[in-house]
Amino acid sequence: MFVSLNWLKQYVDLQGLTPEDLAEKITKTGIEVEGVEPFGEPIENLVVGYVKECNQHPNADKLNVCQVDVGDEVLQIVCGAPNVAQGQKVAVAKPGAVLPGNFKIKKAKLRGEESSGMICSLQELGIDEKYVPAEFAEGIFVFDGDPEIGADASSLLNLDDIIIELGLTPNRSDALSMMGVAYEVAAILDTPLHFPDEEVQITEEKAEDAVSVTVKDGDLNPYYGAMVVKNIKVGPAPLWMRNRLISAGIRPINNVVDITNYVLIEYGQPLHAFDYDRFGSKEVVVRRATEGEKIKTLDDEERTLSSNHLVITNGQEPVAIAGVMGGADSEVHEGTTTVLLEAAYFDPQAVRSAAKDHGLRSEASVRFEKGVDPDRVQRAGLRAAQLLSEYAGGEVLDGVVAYDDLSYEEKTVTFTTSRMNHVLGTDMNDAHIQDILRKLQFSYEQEGETFTVSIPTRRGDISLVEDMVEEIGRMYGYDNIPFTMPQGAGNAGGLTAYQALRRKVRRYLEGAGLSETLTYSLTTEERANLLMSPDVKGENVRPVHLAMPMSEEHSHLRLSALPEMLASASYNVARKQKDVAFYEVGSIYVTEETVLTKQPDEKERLAGVLTGSWLTHPWQQEKKNVDFYVVKGILDGLFDYLDIEEQISYQQGQVDGMHPGRTALIKLNGEAIGHVGQLHPTLQKGYDLKEAYAFDVDLEKVFKAISSEETYTPIPRYPSISRDIALVVDEGVAAGDLRKTILETGAPLVKNCLVFDVYQGEHLEAGKKSLAFSLLYLDPTRTLKDEEVEETHHAILDKVKEQYNAELRA
Amino acid sequence: MQERLVELKTEALEKVAQAEDAKALQDVKVQYLGKKGPITEVLRGMGKLPKEERPVIGQMANDVREEISTAIDEKQTKMEEAALEKQLQEETIDVTLPGRPAQTGGPHLLTSLIEEIEDLFIGMGFEIAEGPEVEVDYYNFEALNLPKGHPARDMQDSFYITEEMLMRTHTSPVQARTMEQHKGKGPVKVICPGKVYRRDTDDATHSHQFTQIEGLLVDKHVRMSDLKGVLNAFAKQMFGEEREIRLRPSFFPFTEPSVEMDISCKMCGGEGCSVCKGTGWIEILGAGMVHPNVLEMAGYDPNEYTGFAFGMGPERIAMLKYGIDDIRHFYTNDVRFLNQFHKA
């Protein structure tokens, strides 16, 4: 809502506050001021001039040489506007004037003729082209009426106005009118209000003889008032009115339309003026449109209606979509002499759906959608009739022909002073509340500390005690509410075990060198189906898709973070950031339903993507690229950190989109919980990546495996014994299996078994490999004897020979 | 004999001084102090001396021996020191060469901020509550006083999946769920962070996915002044002790009264500048007293219980705090962006 301060001053004394100070007060008390902007720039040496003579320029077809009386002198001005004429009163920028855009007016010769100044168009004075009345769009501006010659034209054109832009929240539609804003400002400043009256000179002729009103769907139109104004002379509205409309962001058209728009802004009540003679009948019939019914609206569009839409008809056919737009046929035009003036209350929902269906949100529909003040409907009609009689020569027929089923009573809200203080945490007394209610102009009754407040109809947003808490609180001033801390039973607060673990995982990964990413949950259908971990992928698991996506890019919910993370990696590599180590903790959305009947299972996953070099230390000739074991090592470290490494195993596995030979399923106590491996070369290529590695793990399952018991193992007091063995096996034997067997067979004495060498080649038979392990023997209770170690060692060798045909390497 | 001893001493000390390495020194030691050395010999020959001279010569021989031994030890120490000195010199490296890089990663800026905010409120006794991102209509809207047909829940503004299910548009449904779990009893004191989704075209200031962090306190005597106190404590810890806060009226369907909280602008200290658009204040979050309809729907008696709620956007806070000009940076994951926020 744009509020002209010059206009607002007509209703309420602004007490000489600067626009900024006023804006600050309004913002702090109720409505956010989003901007304070000068309407124009007051221009010095801009005066009203009278064109005494206007003659064709001797040397130029399109120019005129004008003699212009500017009060203290007569200036010769060469003017190129097509509409300049003798007898006009115009805006003259005298030499020395500076127009917007730092355009300095100087004396000059144009094609040999002296020119001392400029006759201005509104555009040249800084008024936005979209608000310039059509008649002046292509030429100079011409004053109507009889402004004094030589008078300051800046103020006549309202160039000194300041516009305050209010950002209205949905509850404050009461401030969608100048009167509403005036109520608010008067309450803040505690000053009286001066509103126009609605007295109308009427003729003896009765409106009811000229028109009848029938409303067939009263639920959507509880009030419809029609007035008839005859002998209208359509022409320009007075300058002050046009100025105010422009300041409110509305382009002036003609006096009839401008008056309805003026009252719309002043009262917040949309009105419509029909050309009575072109209405098509003498009866107004309001009803739901029939399905498929058509109307040509005044923007010359033919629109098809449905039964959700309310229409005004002449008994036969629609002449307007109620509250949204009038029809072309009954539009007021230059020759209109009699006007049928509509002031109605339309159901917000009906207007909303019609405005939406036809893409016609307007100043009028917005106000109907929010619900207009029922008390102002008829008054606004009277005000418009008054202005039509004053500024369009109209004669108002006696009476308002109305359908009236609009029952409204002022609501009451009852509260006590102590309740106010209880909720606000304040220390107000009854007098504070009385004072605030007086400023708001809310009437009330008081009994002890109990107030029963009658809520004016203009404040449709207030119906509960809490609404009054807000009114009292904001007027008392939120700044005056003290700072306190909550009392009552306190919670200990803190993270849940799960949340604390998640943070630990993050810190571990960051310490291990990974950077956290945040990618979108919504992705393409293709990506949503890509790289699903084997533990996620089920026969019927499918990505959830949006009913109405905005784009294919964000249409499906992910089943792995990897596809989007790989896209991020690709983005970086394309920008010469070739080393990428990412992790992300986030949900995937698992369902087997094609049409959701229940929420998908949101599983929190840990995903990672690594590519490029892992370590580069050039001057010591160290360089290592990310490989499978770098990534696996990070996960090993994590599982060790979480103390579940003994429950974890890896197993060669096939995952769609992953390298078939370089991918492992991650198993927790035998159950797959994710995978780690290299991306399939084809997919790597698709992402424009070189070797890239990824992992994706079910975080919830990992956390569930963690034992909450924390125990202490005493530091061993007896020495351990270390034995190395190198075993030759078929190259297909997995080191992990071999190691597992060694540990199992060696229990309880073998505490650890490390792979320290893997060899294949020259000195070995083809198809064989050598795996070297370092075994650690320990008995925490005593010093081990060599023979015992020897015994276990042999048992191990026998076992691996039996199980894997493993030979001790010579 | 006395002369012999003095002679030996002079001779030996000279050799010690001349010894150039450990071996030469050892030779001197063996030569003069060894069992077959001249001093031992002198001592052996003492039997021939008159009785009264023996202790004098014995004493003198021991002194000479002692003196030579000390000289050898000193020389030895010096030699070791010199050797160590040499070794150290040889081992000297260029300490200005770069070190072997340690891998460093770090959290996403939004995670850092969210954790920081969580911790501030944990310090005030709040717990962290989380909830689903695919939400049912009831919790996302109805339970929050946004009944069907309410303009704020237009299909155009949300990502619906079915008529009854959508991507949550705010983290407020977690509040509704948490209250419901507490079955009408207080206190409920939670912070709800998470991802939310709106039907917006991504540009510099809009993102179809973003994060929110909300807070809720419901109890028997919660006052608006408590909201002010808690938010003030938060703002001062988050943005600096010298920041002031103010509340302005606003509107949210799930709170009444509703307010927006501004903090005094850090750039200009409240004087007005381009960052605060000349107002001296910067909008940080929305808040209010929990709407009685919301309390009632969650099973609380609004006559007995009151509460406050607040919500903020970590993206916005990050943009303000660091002067980030485009919200898309948070989701592009450019390492040159991510790495900037890994510093302590």
Side-chain angles (χ1 to χ4, degrees), chain B residues 320-339:
Chain B
L320 284 171
K321 206 166 167 176
Y322 298 99
I324 296 163
D325 56 355
D326 193 324
I327 196 170
R328 286 170 295 197
H329 284 314
F330 295 107
Y331 297 93
T332 309
N333 301 308
D334 190 316
V335 296
R336 293 162 298 183
F337 177 85
L338 298 176
N339 290 344

Side-chain angles (χ1 to χ4, degrees), chain A residues 727-767:
Chain A
L727 298 171
V728 176
V729 290
D730 288 346
E731 62 185 357
V733 173
D737 295 344
L738 208 49
R739 180 175 176 269
K740 199 175 161 212
T741 305
I742 292 171
L743 282 169
E744 279 168 8
T745 317
L749 291 187
V750 177
K751 297 294 182 214
N752 203 354
C753 173
L754 279 175
V755 180
F756 72 88
D757 189 41
V758 181
Y759 179 79
Q760 199 165 9
E762 238 187 296
H763 305 289
L764 284 179
E765 229 179 286

Side-chain angles (χ1 to χ4, degrees), chain B residues 17-266:
Chain B
Q18 280 165 3
E20 277 180 359
D21 51 26
K23 177 158 186 324
L25 196 62
Q26 184 60 26
D27 288 349
V28 176
K29 193 172 179 178
V30 171
Q31 190 184 344
Y32 290 92
L33 304 181
K35 284 184 181 153
K36 287 173 187 165
I39 295 174
T40 316
E41 215 165 284
V42 169
L43 288 171
R44 258 190 222 134
M46 264 199 323
K48 295 169 190 166
L49 290 176
K51 209 175 179 179
E52 62 279 11
E53 278 184 35
R54 280 181 206 165
V56 180
I57 297 297
Q59 180 62 44
M60 192 175 166
N62 280 335
D63 286 351
V64 167
R65 198 188 176 90
E66 190 60 40
E67 216 166 320
I68 295 168
S69 174
T70 305
I72 289 171
D73 285 353
E74 276 173 7
K75 178 82 179 190
Q76 175 124 20
T77 308
K78 256 186 208 154
M79 278 179 164
E80 279 167 9
E81 277 172 359
L84 184 61
E85 186 64 28
K86 192 166 167 247
Q87 183 197 346
L88 292 177
Q89 207 119 55
E90 283 166 3
E91 284 173 1
T92 299
I93 54 166
D94 180 354
V95 297
T96 66
L97 278 168
R100 188 175 189 268
Q103 300 297 329
T104 54
H108 192 280
L109 172 56
L110 291 176
T111 302
S112 300
L113 266 181
I114 288 171
E115 288 185 358
E116 187 182 347
I117 295 168
E118 284 175 352
D119 290 344
L120 288 181
F121 284 103
I122 284 172
M124 290 189 255
F126 284 76
E127 290 168 358
I128 311 299
E130 292 165 291
E133 292 167 33
V134 175
E135 190 49 282
V136 289
D137 189 273
Y138 175 79
Y139 288 109
N140 196 72
F141 290 128
E142 257 170 84
L144 299 167
N145 200 29
L146 280 145
K148 287 212 155 73
H150 194 285
R153 50 179 292 183
D154 205 305
M155 289 288 275
Q156 297 306 317
D157 302 327
S158 316
F159 287 124
Y160 273 88
I161 295 161
T162 65
E163 283 209 350
E164 285 305 316
M165 234 171 280
L166 73 162
M167 300 306 294
R168 68 176 176 195
T169 57
H170 44 193
T171 47
S172 314
V174 184
Q175 300 186 3
R177 284 175 177 275
T178 309
M179 275 193 272
E180 214 177 73
Q181 283 158 13
H182 278 73
K183 298 191 192 308
K185 296 225 166 62
V188 179
K189 206 171 176 187
V190 290
I191 293 294
C192 316
K195 294 171 187 166
V196 300
Y197 305 83
R198 300 252 174 106
R199 228 182 135 76
D200 275 323
T201 304
D202 297 341
D203 62 23
T205 52
H206 297 86
S207 182
H208 75 276
Q209 174 182 327
F210 55 101
T211 59
Q212 263 191 356
I213 185 158
E214 300 202 339
L216 172 74
L217 170 56
V218 173
D219 204 353
K220 282 190 177 161
H221 300 288
V222 180
R223 302 158 293 179
M224 195 156 164
S225 55
D226 298 334
L227 171 65
K228 252 185 106 171
V230 166
L231 291 181
N232 191 48
F234 160 72
K236 287 197 182 319
Q237 289 185 69
M238 186 79 194
F239 300 103
E241 227 10 80
E242 64 288 357
R243 299 274 76 79
E244 301 291 325
I245 69 157
R246 73 167 185 188
L247 302 184
R248 296 183 274 107
S250 188
F251 174 77
F252 306 106
F254 27 89
T255 48
E256 186 73 35
S258 298
V259 294
E260 267 167 353
M261 184 190 89
D262 297 337
I263 57 165
S264 56
C265 178
K266 192 175 185 171

Side-chain angles (χ1 to χ4, degrees), chain A residues 531-691:
Chain A
L531 288 167
M532 243 179 272
S533 221
D535 61 310
V536 175
K537 196 175 178 127
E539 214 169 299
N540 296 313
V541 170
R542 64 194 80 228
V544 174
H545 61 94
L546 299 181
M548 293 189 299
M550 291 180 76
S551 70
E552 179 52 32
E553 283 298 287
H554 308 298
S555 55
H556 287 69
L557 277 170
R558 68 186 183 189
L559 282 164
S560 167
L562 292 177
E564 285 291 332
M565 291 175 76
L566 284 161
S568 289
S570 177
Y571 167 96
N572 280 290
V573 169
R575 282 159 186 78
K576 306 249 183 282
Q577 307 292 315
K578 294 188 188 299
D579 305 331
V580 170
F582 285 158
Y583 85 89
E584 182 161 330
V585 172
S587 291
I588 61 168
Y589 314 83
V590 185
T591 185
E592 296 194 341
E593 296 183 315
T594 5
V595 176
L596 290 188
T597 60
K598 56 181 197 294
Q599 286 161 282
D601 186 8
E602 290 185 27
K603 292 172 183 282
E604 194 156 56
R605 308 279 297 190
L606 165 65
V609 163
L610 295 93
T611 184
S613 63
W614 180 242
L615 171 74
T616 318
H617 187 42
W619 73 268
Q620 287 187 315
Q621 285 81 45
E622 278 186 276
K623 181 168 163 62
K624 170 144 191 67
N625 284 336
V626 172
D627 63 18
F628 179 87
Y629 299 104
V630 164
V631 182
K632 190 185 175 199
I634 292 168
L635 289 176
D636 284 339
L638 175 66
F639 297 135
D640 184 28
Y641 177 58
L642 297 175
D643 204 16
I644 56 165
E645 82 279 14
E646 286 177 7
Q647 304 174 62
I648 295 285
S649 61
Y650 297 86
Q651 183 193 318
Q652 197 91 25
Q654 305 291 315
V655 178
D656 284 352
M658 301 297 287
H659 191 304
R662 293 187 175 179
T663 299
L665 305 186
I666 303 168
K667 293 193 162 182
L668 178 76
N669 299 321
E671 182 201 0
I673 57 160
H675 71 282
V676 52
Q678 186 187 337
L679 213 58
H680 196 287
T682 318
L683 201 53
Q684 276 174 185
K685 212 169 157 193
Y687 275 111
D688 265 327
L689 290 170
K690 296 205 174 113
E691 266 185 43

Side-chain angles (χ1 to χ4, degrees), chain A residues 247-267:
Chain A
S247 71
I250 294 175
R251 179 181 179 154
I253 311 286
N254 61 45
N255 50 5
V256 176
V257 175
D258 289 358
I259 283 166
T260 59
N261 282 334
Y262 183 78
V263 176
L264 161 80
I265 300 295
E266 189 177 42
Y267 281 66

